[in-house]
Amino acid sequence: MIVNERETDEGLLVAVCDRDALGETYESGDVSLTVDEEFYGGERVDAEDVVDSLARATVANIVGTESVELAIEHGFVEEANVLEVGSTLHAQVLRVA
């Protein structure tokens, strides 16, 4: 998986994607999702590092079956809130204080 972390005025923004999703575009009806290198490109990491990043995130964007399933497994995302876009999964996390 690939993780990109950046600090913003609102907190830590984390983008996570499956390695094979980077650079791909997924479409479903009127919805189009491009896994852009500029936003999602970052470090190749293991599952433990992804979980650590998501635990610290204020906002997270997650793309790819492996990445989204990991987020569900660790309680960051509820399966009912996951979008299926083309052949992949997409989820977002927003923590409100």
Side-chain angles (χ1 to χ4, degrees):
M1 287 171 274
I2 300 172
V3 172
N4 186 335
E5 294 185 359
R6 47 178 86 70
E7 284 293 337
T8 70
D9 292 341
E10 290 78 31
L12 182 64
L13 169 62
V14 174
V16 179
C17 70
D18 290 3
R19 290 180 184 185
D20 63 353
L22 192 62
E24 297 293 325
T25 296
Y26 301 94
E27 296 181 348
S28 182
D30 292 339
V31 177
S32 178
L33 173 64
T34 299
V35 188
D36 182 81
E37 171 80 34
E38 185 177 334
F39 187 78
Y40 287 95
E43 288 186 56
R44 291 177 180 241
V45 298
D46 62 18
E48 185 177 316
D49 290 329
V50 171
V51 170
D52 178 64
S53 289
L54 291 175
R56 294 180 290 105
T58 304
V59 176
N61 288 279
I62 310 161
V63 178
T65 303
E66 181 183 10
S67 298
V68 171
E69 287 179 353
L70 182 68
I72 292 168
E73 178 184 331
H74 287 273
F76 297 109
V77 174
E78 290 190 30
E79 192 169 358
N81 296 325
V82 172
L83 297 176
E84 191 172 328
V85 182
S87 62
T88 198
L89 301 178
H90 175 62
Q92 294 181 316
V93 175
L94 173 62
R95 283 203 181 84
V96 198

